[in-house]
Amino acid sequence: MMTLQTPVKPVLSDPMLPTLYRVLRVRRDTADTFSIDIAPADGGNCLSFAPGQFNMVYIFGVGEIPISISSDPAESGPLVHTTRAVGTVTQAMAELRAGDVVGVRGPFGTAWPVEAARKKDVVLVAGGIGLAPLRPAMYRILAERDSYGKVVLLYGARTPSDMLYRKQLEQWRAHFDLDIFVTVDRASGSWRGNIGFVTKLIPRAPFDPRSTVAMVCGPEGMMRYSAQELEKRGVRAENIYLSMERNMKCAIRVCGHCQFGPMFVCRDGPVFRYPAIRALMDKQEV
Ligand SMILES: Cc1cc2nc3c(=O)[nH]c(=O)nc-3n(C[C@H](O)[C@H](O)[C@H](O)COP(=O)(O)OP(=O)(O)OC[C@H]3O[C@@H](n4cnc5c(N)ncnc54)[C@H](O)[C@@H]3O)c2cc1C
Ligand code: FES
């Protein structure tokens, strides 16, 4: 049986050659974020992946970018990629329709420590689109809920209408053994929930820091402050994991685009233990 925190290696004869995937469905999550379901164009099986890994998604004639896989690794398909439209390639992705074909290389990168977290409390801290790479970890943890202690999700969005996976959050809230706290940076009107950065939720979240594994994904500043707050609560630095973003071209440690100090985010990350990257965080060119 595959241990889910072991990264899956791509089975490609040429790691730079994309496999053709067909778009099955496009869903708009928020004003600037959408999820696409894809499956191999030749009707074959979707690639296997571990929670936290990413694919290089190629939009023909436009370009190729890294996007995390946000579906359940235990499902045979389709693969889901949740993307925020920020620039050339992601805007072109937003215009895809069912039936279109994209190229996919992957999966690449390291994975969340879902197996190693067994018997411990788990805290997932997500900022914005950072909830997407954490969703596969949540699926696996919930599938074997009894193997974990407390499971806490702390999620921060910019505004209530920027919240991802609203329906799913409601379903997860219905689990009596799952603690979900949502906060927004700015709110008006009918919002009755928390307001403020997600880091503010950490001091009062219900987990035992001495036996907690934390998985954090979001903008780099948010991750640095989250790691600091988690440490203040008593979570050991080596039990804090962060997923880093850098521009990527090859994803196979050849081009050097994603260099991060002595490491490469495409092969040594994106999921890193906090102590390995603490000194490098928030530096654009390292
Ligand atoms: C391992 C990994 C996983 C990712 N997973 C997701 C995901 O699940 N969903 C998602 O929406 N995005 C994800 N990203 C970020 C995504 O790759 C970038 O948003 C995308 O490359 C932007 O491409 P573009 O051509 O649309 O924008 P561009 O025109 O290239 O740039 C638009 C803006 O985004 C910035 N930008 C470009 N690439 C990156 C990058 N890699 N990291 C940070 N800022 C960048 C640029 O500096 C610029 O400000 C991930 C990145 C990495 C490295
Ligand atoms: S993307 Fe080329 S070395 Fe990492």
Side-chain angles (χ1 to χ4, degrees), residues 169-224:
L169 284 170
E170 285 310 315
Q171 286 162 3
W172 285 345
R173 270 184 203 280
H175 285 243
F176 66 93
D177 54 359
L178 185 57
D179 289 293
I180 299 198
F181 299 88
V182 177
T183 183
V184 295
D185 299 347
R186 300 180 302 283
S188 56
S190 60
W191 179 255
R192 296 277 172 272
N194 296 299
I195 297 180
F197 294 139
V198 70
T199 43
K200 279 199 186 168
L201 301 175
I202 293 172
R204 55 193 170 95
F207 59 86
D208 178 356
R210 292 164 303 174
S211 67
T212 288
V213 171
M215 306 179 201
V216 186
C217 190
E220 208 159 315
M222 166 265 169
M223 290 200 289
R224 185 158 56 84

Side-chain angles (χ1 to χ4, degrees), residues 54 65-69 82-84 86-91 129 132-133 244-248 265 270:
F54 66 94
I65 52 165
I67 299 289
S68 305
I69 311 167
T82 301
T83 306
R84 171 171 293 154
V86 292
T88 319
V89 182
T90 48
Q91 298 282 8
I129 191 83
M244 297 302 295
E245 276 195 13
R246 285 293 182 272
N247 286 316
M248 288 188 189
V265 174

Side-chain angles (χ1 to χ4, degrees), residues 237-258:
E238 62 265 35
N239 290 335
I240 302 172
Y241 294 78
L242 315 175
S243 183
M244 297 302 295
E245 276 195 13
R246 285 293 182 272
N247 286 316
M248 288 188 189
K249 294 283 176 231
C250 70
I252 52 171
R253 204 158 72 184
V254 169
C255 73
H257 267 83
C258 69

